[in-house]
PDB file of all heavy atoms in Angstrom:
ATOM      1  N   ALA R 181      17.855   3.956  13.648  1.00  0.00           N
ATOM      2  CA  ALA R 181      17.569   3.745  15.060  1.00  0.00           C
ATOM      3  C   ALA R 181      18.014   2.363  15.541  1.00  0.00           C
ATOM      4  O   ALA R 181      18.579   2.203  16.635  1.00  0.00           O
ATOM      5  CB  ALA R 181      16.071   3.929  15.323  1.00  0.00           C
ATOM      6  N   ASP R 182      17.777   1.328  14.724  1.00  0.00           N
ATOM      7  CA  ASP R 182      18.108  -0.042  15.102  1.00  0.00           C
ATOM      8  C   ASP R 182      19.613  -0.265  15.165  1.00  0.00           C
ATOM      9  O   ASP R 182      20.141  -0.889  16.082  1.00  0.00           O
ATOM     10  CB  ASP R 182      17.466  -1.028  14.126  1.00  0.00           C
ATOM     11  CG  ASP R 182      16.009  -1.281  14.437  1.00  0.00           C
ATOM     12  OD1 ASP R 182      15.518  -0.733  15.445  1.00  0.00           O
ATOM     13  OD2 ASP R 182      15.354  -2.015  13.683  1.00  0.00           O
ATOM     14  N   LEU R 183      20.330   0.208  14.124  1.00  0.00           N
ATOM     15  CA  LEU R 183      21.785  -0.088  14.036  1.00  0.00           C
ATOM     16  C   LEU R 183      22.548   0.514  15.184  1.00  0.00           C
ATOM     17  O   LEU R 183      23.445  -0.132  15.744  1.00  0.00           O
ATOM     18  CB  LEU R 183      22.345   0.409  12.690  1.00  0.00           C
ATOM     19  CG  LEU R 183      21.981  -0.414  11.452  1.00  0.00           C
ATOM     20  CD1 LEU R 183      22.614   0.192  10.211  1.00  0.00           C
ATOM     21  CD2 LEU R 183      22.480  -1.852  11.607  1.00  0.00           C
ATOM     22  N   VAL R 184      22.201   1.746  15.558  1.00  0.00           N
ATOM     23  CA  VAL R 184      22.950   2.390  16.665  1.00  0.00           C
ATOM     24  C   VAL R 184      22.326   2.029  18.008  1.00  0.00           C
ATOM     25  O   VAL R 184      23.017   1.701  18.953  1.00  0.00           O
ATOM     26  CB  VAL R 184      22.991   3.910  16.468  1.00  0.00           C
ATOM     27  CG1 VAL R 184      23.846   4.548  17.571  1.00  0.00           C
ATOM     28  CG2 VAL R 184      23.563   4.279  15.107  1.00  0.00           C
ATOM     29  N   GLY R 185      20.978   2.100  18.092  1.00  0.00           N
ATOM     30  CA  GLY R 185      20.312   1.837  19.352  1.00  0.00           C
ATOM     31  C   GLY R 185      20.407   0.408  19.804  1.00  0.00           C
ATOM     32  O   GLY R 185      20.927   0.112  20.874  1.00  0.00           O
ATOM     33  N   LYS R 186      19.910  -0.515  18.986  1.00  0.00           N
ATOM     34  CA  LYS R 186      19.868  -1.937  19.394  1.00  0.00           C
ATOM     35  C   LYS R 186      21.242  -2.609  19.317  1.00  0.00           C
ATOM     36  O   LYS R 186      21.657  -3.278  20.264  1.00  0.00           O
ATOM     37  CB  LYS R 186      18.887  -2.699  18.517  1.00  0.00           C
ATOM     38  CG  LYS R 186      17.412  -2.444  18.820  1.00  0.00           C
ATOM     39  CD  LYS R 186      16.569  -3.352  17.949  1.00  0.00           C
ATOM     40  CE  LYS R 186      15.066  -3.143  18.238  1.00  0.00           C
ATOM     41  NZ  LYS R 186      14.233  -4.049  17.414  1.00  0.00           N
ATOM     42  N   VAL R 187      21.899  -2.439  18.169  1.00  0.00           N
ATOM     43  CA  VAL R 187      23.131  -3.221  17.929  1.00  0.00           C
ATOM     44  C   VAL R 187      24.331  -2.610  18.695  1.00  0.00           C
ATOM     45  O   VAL R 187      25.054  -3.314  19.376  1.00  0.00           O
ATOM     46  CB  VAL R 187      23.436  -3.317  16.424  1.00  0.00           C
ATOM     47  CG1 VAL R 187      24.772  -4.034  16.203  1.00  0.00           C
ATOM     48  CG2 VAL R 187      22.326  -4.042  15.701  1.00  0.00           C
ATOM     49  N   GLU R 188      24.495  -1.288  18.576  1.00  0.00           N
ATOM     50  CA  GLU R 188      25.699  -0.671  19.148  1.00  0.00           C
ATOM     51  C   GLU R 188      25.519  -0.309  20.625  1.00  0.00           C
ATOM     52  O   GLU R 188      26.359  -0.605  21.458  1.00  0.00           O
ATOM     53  CB  GLU R 188      26.093   0.572  18.336  1.00  0.00           C
ATOM     54  CG  GLU R 188      26.538   0.241  16.917  1.00  0.00           C
ATOM     55  CD  GLU R 188      26.954   1.478  16.118  1.00  0.00           C
ATOM     56  OE1 GLU R 188      27.085   2.559  16.743  1.00  0.00           O
ATOM     57  OE2 GLU R 188      27.147   1.371  14.899  1.00  0.00           O
ATOM     58  N   ALA R 189      24.407   0.380  20.928  1.00  0.00           N
ATOM     59  CA  ALA R 189      24.209   0.831  22.313  1.00  0.00           C
ATOM     60  C   ALA R 189      23.538  -0.228  23.197  1.00  0.00           C
ATOM     61  O   ALA R 189      23.593  -0.147  24.424  1.00  0.00           O
ATOM     62  CB  ALA R 189      23.368   2.114  22.311  1.00  0.00           C
ATOM     63  N   GLY R 190      22.879  -1.204  22.574  1.00  0.00           N
ATOM     64  CA  GLY R 190      22.232  -2.280  23.313  1.00  0.00           C
ATOM     65  C   GLY R 190      21.011  -1.838  24.104  1.00  0.00           C
ATOM     66  O   GLY R 190      20.697  -2.411  25.149  1.00  0.00           O
ATOM     67  N   ILE R 191      20.331  -0.806  23.613  1.00  0.00           N
ATOM     68  CA  ILE R 191      19.115  -0.338  24.294  1.00  0.00           C
ATOM     69  C   ILE R 191      17.872  -0.867  23.546  1.00  0.00           C
ATOM     70  O   ILE R 191      17.930  -1.184  22.373  1.00  0.00           O
ATOM     71  CB  ILE R 191      19.073   1.205  24.389  1.00  0.00           C
ATOM     72  CG1 ILE R 191      19.140   1.853  22.984  1.00  0.00           C
ATOM     73  CG2 ILE R 191      20.172   1.728  25.263  1.00  0.00           C
ATOM     74  CD1 ILE R 191      19.072   3.373  22.997  1.00  0.00           C
ATOM     75  N   PRO R 192      16.742  -0.970  24.238  1.00  0.00           N
ATOM     76  CA  PRO R 192      15.553  -1.550  23.615  1.00  0.00           C
ATOM     77  C   PRO R 192      14.993  -0.687  22.505  1.00  0.00           C
ATOM     78  O   PRO R 192      15.302   0.508  22.369  1.00  0.00           O
ATOM     79  CB  PRO R 192      14.544  -1.639  24.774  1.00  0.00           C
ATOM     80  CG  PRO R 192      15.324  -1.429  26.027  1.00  0.00           C
ATOM     81  CD  PRO R 192      16.509  -0.624  25.644  1.00  0.00           C
ATOM     82  N   GLU R 193      14.126  -1.278  21.701  1.00  0.00           N
ATOM     83  CA  GLU R 193      13.385  -0.541  20.683  1.00  0.00           C
ATOM     84  C   GLU R 193      12.489   0.475  21.404  1.00  0.00           C
ATOM     85  O   GLU R 193      11.929   0.196  22.486  1.00  0.00           O
ATOM     86  CB  GLU R 193      12.542  -1.496  19.840  1.00  0.00           C
ATOM     87  CG  GLU R 193      11.893  -0.840  18.652  1.00  0.00           C
ATOM     88  CD  GLU R 193      11.212  -1.860  17.722  1.00  0.00           C
ATOM     89  OE1 GLU R 193      11.292  -3.079  18.012  1.00  0.00           O
ATOM     90  OE2 GLU R 193      10.623  -1.452  16.728  1.00  0.00           O
ATOM     91  N   ASP R 194      12.345   1.661  20.806  1.00  0.00           N
ATOM     92  CA  ASP R 194      11.516   2.738  21.356  1.00  0.00           C
ATOM     93  C   ASP R 194      12.052   3.274  22.684  1.00  0.00           C
ATOM     94  O   ASP R 194      11.298   3.904  23.442  1.00  0.00           O
ATOM     95  CB  ASP R 194      10.044   2.293  21.523  1.00  0.00           C
ATOM     96  CG  ASP R 194       9.376   2.001  20.195  1.00  0.00           C
ATOM     97  OD1 ASP R 194       9.581   2.766  19.246  1.00  0.00           O
ATOM     98  OD2 ASP R 194       8.659   0.968  20.099  1.00  0.00           O
ATOM     99  N   ASP R 195      13.329   3.059  22.948  1.00  0.00           N
ATOM    100  CA  ASP R 195      13.914   3.643  24.142  1.00  0.00           C
ATOM    101  C   ASP R 195      14.013   5.163  23.950  1.00  0.00           C
ATOM    102  O   ASP R 195      14.521   5.627  22.938  1.00  0.00           O
ATOM    103  CB  ASP R 195      15.316   3.060  24.386  1.00  0.00           C
ATOM    104  CG  ASP R 195      15.872   3.414  25.738  1.00  0.00           C
ATOM    105  OD1 ASP R 195      16.019   4.630  26.050  1.00  0.00           O
ATOM    106  OD2 ASP R 195      16.157   2.499  26.531  1.00  0.00           O
ATOM    107  N   PRO R 196      13.520   5.960  24.911  1.00  0.00           N
ATOM    108  CA  PRO R 196      13.544   7.428  24.730  1.00  0.00           C
ATOM    109  C   PRO R 196      14.932   8.028  24.646  1.00  0.00           C
ATOM    110  O   PRO R 196      15.068   9.180  24.225  1.00  0.00           O
ATOM    111  CB  PRO R 196      12.795   7.947  25.968  1.00  0.00           C
ATOM    112  CG  PRO R 196      12.848   6.847  26.965  1.00  0.00           C
ATOM    113  CD  PRO R 196      12.872   5.569  26.163  1.00  0.00           C
ATOM    114  N   ARG R 197      15.961   7.261  24.996  1.00  0.00           N
ATOM    115  CA  ARG R 197      17.317   7.779  24.883  1.00  0.00           C
ATOM    116  C   ARG R 197      17.842   7.767  23.447  1.00  0.00           C
ATOM    117  O   ARG R 197      18.841   8.393  23.156  1.00  0.00           O
ATOM    118  CB  ARG R 197      18.264   6.945  25.758  1.00  0.00           C
ATOM    119  CG  ARG R 197      18.027   7.108  27.259  1.00  0.00           C
ATOM    120  CD  ARG R 197      18.840   6.133  28.057  1.00  0.00           C
ATOM    121  NE  ARG R 197      18.419   4.741  27.848  1.00  0.00           N
ATOM    122  CZ  ARG R 197      18.989   3.682  28.401  1.00  0.00           C
ATOM    123  NH1 ARG R 197      20.026   3.838  29.201  1.00  0.00           N
ATOM    124  NH2 ARG R 197      18.519   2.477  28.159  1.00  0.00           N
ATOM    125  N   ASN R 198      17.140   7.064  22.563  1.00  0.00           N
ATOM    126  CA  ASN R 198      17.560   6.999  21.168  1.00  0.00           C
ATOM    127  C   ASN R 198      17.115   8.246  20.424  1.00  0.00           C
ATOM    128  O   ASN R 198      15.931   8.492  20.283  1.00  0.00           O
ATOM    129  CB  ASN R 198      16.961   5.732  20.515  1.00  0.00           C
ATOM    130  CG  ASN R 198      17.582   5.420  19.155  1.00  0.00           C
ATOM    131  OD1 ASN R 198      18.018   6.307  18.429  1.00  0.00           O
ATOM    132  ND2 ASN R 198      17.625   4.128  18.832  1.00  0.00           N
ATOM    133  N   PRO R 199      18.046   9.042  19.876  1.00  0.00           N
ATOM    134  CA  PRO R 199      17.669  10.272  19.177  1.00  0.00           C
ATOM    135  C   PRO R 199      16.794  10.051  17.938  1.00  0.00           C
ATOM    136  O   PRO R 199      16.144  11.006  17.463  1.00  0.00           O
ATOM    137  CB  PRO R 199      19.019  10.880  18.784  1.00  0.00           C
ATOM    138  CG  PRO R 199      20.006  10.313  19.746  1.00  0.00           C
ATOM    139  CD  PRO R 199      19.532   8.912  20.007  1.00  0.00           C
ATOM    140  N   ALA R 200      16.782   8.847  17.403  1.00  0.00           N
ATOM    141  CA  ALA R 200      16.015   8.578  16.183  1.00  0.00           C
ATOM    142  C   ALA R 200      14.632   7.993  16.467  1.00  0.00           C
ATOM    143  O   ALA R 200      13.902   7.641  15.542  1.00  0.00           O
ATOM    144  CB  ALA R 200      16.800   7.593  15.260  1.00  0.00           C
ATOM    145  N   VAL R 201      14.271   7.876  17.750  1.00  0.00           N
ATOM    146  CA  VAL R 201      13.050   7.164  18.102  1.00  0.00           C
ATOM    147  C   VAL R 201      11.769   7.891  17.621  1.00  0.00           C
ATOM    148  O   VAL R 201      10.829   7.253  17.177  1.00  0.00           O
ATOM    149  CB  VAL R 201      12.996   6.877  19.634  1.00  0.00           C
ATOM    150  CG1 VAL R 201      12.752   8.147  20.419  1.00  0.00           C
ATOM    151  CG2 VAL R 201      11.933   5.855  19.936  1.00  0.00           C
ATOM    152  N   ILE R 202      11.746   9.193  17.685  1.00  0.00           N
ATOM    153  CA  ILE R 202      10.563   9.952  17.229  1.00  0.00           C
ATOM    154  C   ILE R 202      10.457   9.862  15.702  1.00  0.00           C
ATOM    155  O   ILE R 202       9.370   9.640  15.160  1.00  0.00           O
ATOM    156  CB  ILE R 202      10.620  11.428  17.683  1.00  0.00           C
ATOM    157  CG1 ILE R 202      10.497  11.513  19.196  1.00  0.00           C
ATOM    158  CG2 ILE R 202       9.496  12.227  17.022  1.00  0.00           C
ATOM    159  CD1 ILE R 202       9.174  11.043  19.759  1.00  0.00           C
ATOM    160  N   ALA R 203      11.576   9.992  15.023  1.00  0.00           N
ATOM    161  CA  ALA R 203      11.590   9.842  13.557  1.00  0.00           C
ATOM    162  C   ALA R 203      11.086   8.474  13.156  1.00  0.00           C
ATOM    163  O   ALA R 203      10.349   8.323  12.161  1.00  0.00           O
ATOM    164  CB  ALA R 203      12.992  10.092  13.017  1.00  0.00           C
ATOM    165  N   ASP R 204      11.485   7.445  13.910  1.00  0.00           N
ATOM    166  CA  ASP R 204      11.012   6.087  13.631  1.00  0.00           C
ATOM    167  C   ASP R 204       9.504   5.979  13.775  1.00  0.00           C
ATOM    168  O   ASP R 204       8.816   5.381  12.941  1.00  0.00           O
ATOM    169  CB  ASP R 204      11.718   5.128  14.613  1.00  0.00           C
ATOM    170  CG  ASP R 204      11.465   3.659  14.269  1.00  0.00           C
ATOM    171  OD1 ASP R 204      10.900   3.385  13.199  1.00  0.00           O
ATOM    172  OD2 ASP R 204      11.830   2.807  15.085  1.00  0.00           O
ATOM    173  N   ASN R 205       8.965   6.585  14.846  1.00  0.00           N
ATOM    174  CA  ASN R 205       7.511   6.529  15.051  1.00  0.00           C
ATOM    175  C   ASN R 205       6.756   7.369  14.003  1.00  0.00           C
ATOM    176  O   ASN R 205       5.669   7.004  13.570  1.00  0.00           O
ATOM    177  CB  ASN R 205       7.175   7.007  16.446  1.00  0.00           C
ATOM    178  CG  ASN R 205       7.369   5.924  17.493  1.00  0.00           C
ATOM    179  OD1 ASN R 205       6.524   5.052  17.679  1.00  0.00           O
ATOM    180  ND2 ASN R 205       8.502   5.935  18.164  1.00  0.00           N
ATOM    181  N   VAL R 206       7.335   8.491  13.627  1.00  0.00           N
ATOM    182  CA  VAL R 206       6.722   9.296  12.543  1.00  0.00           C
ATOM    183  C   VAL R 206       6.676   8.485  11.255  1.00  0.00           C
ATOM    184  O   VAL R 206       5.684   8.483  10.532  1.00  0.00           O
ATOM    185  CB  VAL R 206       7.524  10.607  12.331  1.00  0.00           C
ATOM    186  CG1 VAL R 206       7.047  11.332  11.051  1.00  0.00           C
ATOM    187  CG2 VAL R 206       7.397  11.533  13.508  1.00  0.00           C
ATOM    188  N   GLY R 207       7.747   7.743  11.000  1.00  0.00           N
ATOM    189  CA  GLY R 207       7.822   6.955   9.782  1.00  0.00           C
ATOM    190  C   GLY R 207       6.743   5.920   9.650  1.00  0.00           C
ATOM    191  O   GLY R 207       6.263   5.639   8.548  1.00  0.00           O
TER     192      GLY R 207
END
Side-chain angles (χ1 to χ4, degrees):
D182 280 357
L183 285 180
V184 184
K186 285 186 179 180
V187 176
E188 294 182 10
I191 57 179
E193 188 172 358
D194 294 317
D195 191 300
R197 291 173 294 179
N198 192 329
V201 71
I202 293 295
D204 188 9
N205 279 279
V206 170

